[in-house]
Short mmCIF file of all heavy atoms in Angstrom, two decimals:
data_model
loop_
_atom_site.label_atom_id
_atom_site.label_comp_id
_atom_site.label_asym_id
_atom_site.label_seq_id
_atom_site.Cartn_x
_atom_site.Cartn_y
_atom_site.Cartn_z
N PHE A 12 -62.96 -78.60 156.38
CA PHE A 12 -61.88 -78.18 157.27
C PHE A 12 -60.90 -79.31 157.52
O PHE A 12 -59.69 -79.08 157.64
CB PHE A 12 -62.43 -77.61 158.59
CG PHE A 12 -62.65 -76.13 158.52
CD1 PHE A 12 -63.82 -75.61 157.98
CD2 PHE A 12 -61.69 -75.25 158.98
CE1 PHE A 12 -64.03 -74.25 157.91
CE2 PHE A 12 -61.88 -73.89 158.91
CZ PHE A 12 -63.06 -73.39 158.37
N ILE A 16 -56.94 -79.11 156.77
CA ILE A 16 -55.88 -79.46 157.73
C ILE A 16 -54.93 -80.49 157.11
O ILE A 16 -53.72 -80.41 157.30
CB ILE A 16 -56.49 -79.96 159.05
CG1 ILE A 16 -57.13 -78.77 159.77
CG2 ILE A 16 -55.45 -80.63 159.93
CD1 ILE A 16 -57.94 -79.14 160.97
N LEU A 19 -52.64 -78.65 154.95
CA LEU A 19 -51.65 -77.89 155.73
C LEU A 19 -50.54 -78.78 156.28
O LEU A 19 -49.40 -78.35 156.41
CB LEU A 19 -52.34 -77.17 156.89
CG LEU A 19 -53.21 -75.98 156.53
CD1 LEU A 19 -54.03 -75.55 157.73
CD2 LEU A 19 -52.33 -74.83 156.01
N VAL A 88 -52.78 -67.96 160.47
CA VAL A 88 -54.02 -68.36 159.80
C VAL A 88 -54.18 -69.87 159.85
O VAL A 88 -55.27 -70.38 160.11
CB VAL A 88 -54.06 -67.84 158.35
CG1 VAL A 88 -55.26 -68.39 157.61
CG2 VAL A 88 -54.10 -66.31 158.34
N ALA A 89 -53.11 -70.61 159.65
CA ALA A 89 -53.17 -72.07 159.73
C ALA A 89 -53.60 -72.51 161.13
O ALA A 89 -54.41 -73.44 161.27
CB ALA A 89 -51.81 -72.69 159.38
N ASP A 90 -53.08 -71.85 162.15
CA ASP A 90 -53.51 -72.15 163.52
C ASP A 90 -55.00 -71.89 163.71
O ASP A 90 -55.70 -72.68 164.35
CB ASP A 90 -52.72 -71.31 164.53
CG ASP A 90 -51.31 -71.83 164.76
OD1 ASP A 90 -51.04 -73.00 164.40
OD2 ASP A 90 -50.49 -71.07 165.30
N LEU A 91 -55.49 -70.79 163.17
CA LEU A 91 -56.92 -70.47 163.28
C LEU A 91 -57.78 -71.52 162.58
O LEU A 91 -58.85 -71.88 163.06
CB LEU A 91 -57.20 -69.09 162.70
CG LEU A 91 -56.68 -67.91 163.50
CD1 LEU A 91 -56.87 -66.61 162.74
CD2 LEU A 91 -57.38 -67.84 164.85
N ILE A 92 -57.30 -72.03 161.45
CA ILE A 92 -58.03 -73.08 160.74
C ILE A 92 -58.12 -74.33 161.62
O ILE A 92 -59.19 -74.92 161.75
CB ILE A 92 -57.35 -73.39 159.39
CG1 ILE A 92 -57.52 -72.22 158.43
CG2 ILE A 92 -57.90 -74.69 158.78
CD1 ILE A 92 -56.66 -72.29 157.18
N CYS A 93 -57.02 -74.71 162.22
CA CYS A 93 -57.02 -75.88 163.10
C CYS A 93 -57.91 -75.66 164.32
O CYS A 93 -58.67 -76.56 164.70
CB CYS A 93 -55.59 -76.21 163.54
SG CYS A 93 -54.53 -76.75 162.19
N ASP A 94 -57.83 -74.48 164.91
CA ASP A 94 -58.68 -74.17 166.06
C ASP A 94 -60.15 -74.22 165.70
O ASP A 94 -60.98 -74.74 166.45
CB ASP A 94 -58.34 -72.79 166.64
CG ASP A 94 -56.99 -72.74 167.31
OD1 ASP A 94 -56.40 -73.82 167.60
OD2 ASP A 94 -56.50 -71.61 167.55
N PHE A 95 -60.49 -73.69 164.52
CA PHE A 95 -61.89 -73.68 164.10
C PHE A 95 -62.38 -75.10 163.88
O PHE A 95 -63.49 -75.44 164.27
CB PHE A 95 -62.07 -72.84 162.84
CG PHE A 95 -63.51 -72.55 162.53
CD1 PHE A 95 -64.16 -71.51 163.17
CD2 PHE A 95 -64.22 -73.33 161.63
CE1 PHE A 95 -65.49 -71.24 162.91
CE2 PHE A 95 -65.54 -73.07 161.35
CZ PHE A 95 -66.18 -72.02 162.02
N TYR A 96 -61.55 -75.94 163.27
CA TYR A 96 -61.95 -77.34 163.07
C TYR A 96 -62.22 -78.00 164.41
O TYR A 96 -63.20 -78.73 164.58
CB TYR A 96 -60.86 -78.11 162.31
CG TYR A 96 -61.18 -79.56 162.17
CD1 TYR A 96 -62.17 -79.99 161.28
CD2 TYR A 96 -60.53 -80.53 162.92
CE1 TYR A 96 -62.49 -81.33 161.16
CE2 TYR A 96 -60.85 -81.87 162.81
CZ TYR A 96 -61.83 -82.27 161.93
OH TYR A 96 -62.14 -83.59 161.82
N TYR A 97 -61.37 -77.75 165.39
CA TYR A 97 -61.56 -78.32 166.72
C TYR A 97 -62.91 -77.90 167.31
O TYR A 97 -63.60 -78.69 167.93
CB TYR A 97 -60.41 -77.89 167.64
CG TYR A 97 -60.58 -78.39 169.06
CD1 TYR A 97 -60.31 -79.71 169.37
CD2 TYR A 97 -61.02 -77.53 170.06
CE1 TYR A 97 -60.48 -80.18 170.67
CE2 TYR A 97 -61.18 -77.99 171.36
CZ TYR A 97 -60.91 -79.30 171.66
OH TYR A 97 -61.09 -79.76 172.94
N GLU A 98 -63.30 -76.65 167.08
CA GLU A 98 -64.55 -76.16 167.63
C GLU A 98 -65.79 -76.78 166.98
O GLU A 98 -66.83 -76.88 167.62
CB GLU A 98 -64.62 -74.63 167.52
CG GLU A 98 -63.68 -73.96 168.49
CD GLU A 98 -63.99 -72.49 168.65
OE1 GLU A 98 -65.18 -72.15 168.75
OE2 GLU A 98 -63.04 -71.71 168.67
#
Side-chain angles (χ1 to χ4, degrees):
F12 270 83
I16 289 171
L19 288 169
V88 173
D90 283 343
L91 289 173
I92 291 168
C93 294
D94 291 345
F95 193 82
Y96 176 73
Y97 177 76
E98 288 195 43

